[in-house]
Amino acid sequence: MSESKDFLRTIVEKDLKSGKCKEVITRFPPEPNGFPHIGHAKSIFINFGIARDYNGHCNLRMDDTNPTKEDTRYVEALKDAVEWLGFDWGDNVFFTSDYFPKLYDYAVKLIKMGKAYVDSLTEEEIREYRGTVTQAGKRSKYAQRSIEENLDLFQKMKKGEFKDGEHVLRAKIDMSAANMKMRDPLLYRIRHVHHFRAGDEWSIYPMYDFAHCLSDYIEGISHSLCTLEFENNRDIYNWVLEELELKLPRPYQYEFARLGINYTVMSKRKLLELVESGQVNGWDDPRMPTIAGYRRRGYTPESILNFCNQIGIAKANSIVDVAQLEFCIRNDLNKKVPRVMCVLDPLKVTIENYEGFEEIDASYYPHDIPKEGSRKIPFSRDIYIERDDFMQNPPKGYFRLTPEQPVRLRHGYIITCKEVVKDASGNITEIKAQYHPESKSGSDSSGIKVKSAIQWVSAKEAKTVEVRLYDRLFKDEAPEGLEDINPDSLQVIKNALVEPAVITVRPDERFQFERQGYFYADPIDYTYEAPVFNKIVGLKDSWAKKTKASERAPKSATKPQTKKIQVDGEVAPMSEAQRTLFDKYTLELELNSEVANILARDEQLSNFYYESLALSVPDSPVNPVGLANIVTNEVARELKEKSVNALKFNPIQIGELAKMVEEETISSKIAKQVFQVMAKTGENPTQIVDACGLVQISDPSKILPIIDEIIAKNPDNVAKFKAGNTKLLGFFVGQVLKNTGGKANPKVVNELVTRKLK
Ligand code: ATP
Ligand code: MG
């Protein structure tokens, strides 16, 4: 694959040339606490790709230092993903837990050097003592402990003689450091939990900042490539390696931008939530943005690698349009896979003037694709066409079969409708037609004009298959979680019909079903007797149209933005001021590092956030985390297209909006709707909520009747739930929310439904 040279490769080349490193050794260091997602694919592509390009190697390292959430199942999923993408770790699969003894020795060494101490402050005190961005921190009195005492305590921590949280090991660095991460960072904490590999041997576990750099060192990593939110951890990374006076060569850390994709959630925590709530059928559900999910859906490794290549490495914090990923798979399959015919919703057609049977020779590929291959399509008097390829009273511009308009059967003859047969309730059950013997595709001398060709299958020879039509899992461009699920993300069609050639092939086959999209034989459920096909992707971007029609999504959602994202070049390091802000956001306001990173690097947005925080509701300040969510999701989107002065709403109003969510006056779902209106009209959120009657319903006496109604309407699901299918809880909650237009308080609904169904 030919990549243009990005900033990481530029660094690597320089280091090889100068002799700073002899061999390029990278690592992909996931935590085995979930299935890897498309963001991990980016990291795999970068780490393994760079190692391969420079004849080095890349280690696969399970960063298993947080025993409560990790599992061997995830280890296997990670290996599968890397292999499937076509990369090879050779013998180099490692576990951080294997280094626990060595890491412990390094910690002891630091203590002996007087550079680490056992602290016994509470978690809260530690936070308090850390100071703020403008104020230096204060060192714990326990930092005075003698080396002997520290050694003794640390050993006892290891032996399990203390309770969780009683002590921690900290580096002795600088409580007034400008980079707040350097204010005596924690190195070890006590956790009495079972580790899936190390068993019960350890009562202390190393923190990321201590374990990661040393694991890199132990493995001889030359370039430690990680995502941007670790930028401020780089100082600790270097401090540990330097203070321990480790022999050169040492590893160095470089950061690249995290991948985010619209209409997708990407953290393993949120993905786990989807799995556990039963909204999807496991980690490899074809709607999941996991590598296992894409794989099962029918994506090819090439399409994913190509996507990773297109989005490039650097460009900070961009959200990539999911249409671009869809474009990549479509583009890959377009030239590769055979085109066949499938009828999803069959309508019977009897060709009254045709007797007998023939087989039509038809190429699998159109002329312009340099691939050979053909099959025979049976043709007979009784065929099926797609129900919506016939219309009795067509609107203008309808090009398919009508009582007046003939149509071509793809690869076959032109037919004309002679009679429409209906059942008692007026549904069309059959078309009686005539074919034109001179019109056969390839040797048409009939002179009849048609406007389109439609798919069809011969009734007797067609095979029945199940088709699973997948669509995007979320309907919201920036989904938060379960409440933004697209209710139509899966439609199962049990009785679709395919031409027989499709079924003689082995599974692990992909097809284009003409005019329908690309499909894949489901690798798990497909059998010869009961074939199942997954829809990989449609032939066109159907969302582009949909969103345009409703004018909800910004323009960015409607076409792949290859140009915009394909920027190579170094991500500017945070300036001093940005870093100060980042620290303030993460440490004082407790925003997560991704949100903090977005804000800190965007001055306009950051100012907006600040003003909201400072100006709104002075007597009861708004919760900074909730406010940050609204600012980085909603406000940021507006600011991408407009200048601050052109915004209709102001920071105070956004503060009010956040406050309403915080106080549960409205749900965060409704807040998005309110925001849409604010962005258009500049009205106050309270005004909008009042005028549109959007106040959240939390009163049980209002919610209970709705629950009763839904329970009464769905006796089957109630029975299933009572028989143990607890996944259906989500269904009931969803129905209630839907019934109230999203106004019911999800928490209350959840409680009430649970109680009702007991
Ligand atoms: P999540 O937040 O989804 O759990 P993580 O960063 O905690 O992700 P890890 O398993 O620790 O996941 O990550 C393994 C490697 O993959 C890390 O080097 C991390 O930087 C990288 N990575 C994770 N998510 C992304 C992403 N969205 N884009 C690029 N790289 C990513
Ligand atoms: Mg994580």
Side-chain angles (χ1 to χ4, degrees), residues 284 286 292-298 468 507-510 520-527 532-534:
D284 69 344
Y294 289 117
R295 178 178 178 178
R296 181 156 182 196
R297 178 137 169 191
R468 298 175 183 166
D508 201 29
E509 288 279 349
R510 298 173 179 84
Y520 182 52
D522 185 274
I524 294 179
D525 295 337
Y526 183 103
T527 61
V532 178
F533 287 92
N534 297 330

Side-chain angles (χ1 to χ4, degrees), residues 354-538:
Y354 188 87
E355 297 295 336
F357 175 79
E358 69 186 280
E359 287 190 311
I360 299 172
D361 241 321
S363 167
Y364 275 131
Y365 306 96
H367 305 300
D368 55 336
I369 289 188
K371 261 189 106 159
E372 307 254 316
S374 66
R375 81 291 195 189
K376 293 198 181 315
I377 310 174
F379 178 67
S380 65
R381 182 182 169 89
D382 298 313
I383 65 167
Y384 287 101
I385 64 169
E386 203 69 64
R387 184 164 289 276
D388 66 11
D389 282 339
F390 173 79
M391 275 187 105
Q392 200 164 12
N393 302 301
K396 205 166 161 250
Y398 184 83
F399 289 158
R400 294 162 276 166
L401 187 64
T402 74
E404 280 76 41
Q405 181 171 270
V407 77
R408 174 174 299 284
L409 298 175
R410 174 93 175 117
H411 297 298
Y413 298 94
I414 293 174
I415 57 170
T416 301
C417 169
K418 289 290 167 200
E419 188 187 336
V420 181
V421 184
K422 295 186 181 173
D423 65 11
S425 25
N427 301 311
I428 299 176
T429 54
E430 185 188 344
I431 304 289
K432 294 194 194 286
Q434 296 217 318
Y435 89 115
H436 302 274
E438 312 301 309
S439 68
K440 193 167 176 184
S441 187
S443 57
D444 182 358
S445 59
S446 69
I448 301 170
K449 290 239 174 344
V450 291
K451 290 180 176 151
S452 70
I454 60 173
Q455 68 268 28
W456 56 278
V457 291
S458 173
K460 188 154 151 273
E461 290 78 17
K463 305 275 188 216
T464 301
V465 299
E466 175 175 327
V467 172
R468 298 175 183 166
L469 299 176
Y470 292 106
D471 198 352
R472 293 183 185 165
L473 184 54
F474 293 100
K475 56 181 167 12
D476 203 288
E477 196 185 359
E480 287 182 12
L482 299 179
E483 72 267 30
D484 294 317
I485 293 234
N486 171 10
D488 305 318
S489 64
L490 170 60
Q491 190 196 343
V492 179
I493 296 181
K494 291 278 185 192
N495 296 308
L497 297 172
V498 292
E499 53 171 294
V502 175
I503 303 305
T504 59
V505 291
R506 296 135 310 278
D508 201 29
E509 288 279 349
R510 298 173 179 84
F511 294 95
Q512 182 187 119
F513 290 169
E514 292 205 35
R515 301 177 63 224
Q516 317 267 23
Y518 294 97
F519 290 80
Y520 182 52
D522 185 274
I524 294 179
D525 295 337
Y526 183 103
T527 61
Y528 182 79
E529 293 72 30
V532 178
F533 287 92
N534 297 330
K535 180 167 180 177
I536 308 168
V537 70

Side-chain angles (χ1 to χ4, degrees), residues 28-31 37 39-40 43 227 256 258-259 266-268:
F28 170 58
E31 185 185 350
H37 48 60
H40 291 106
S43 182
T227 33
F256 62 87
R258 225 180 149 79
L259 169 65
M266 194 96 90
S267 91
K268 282 177 281 182

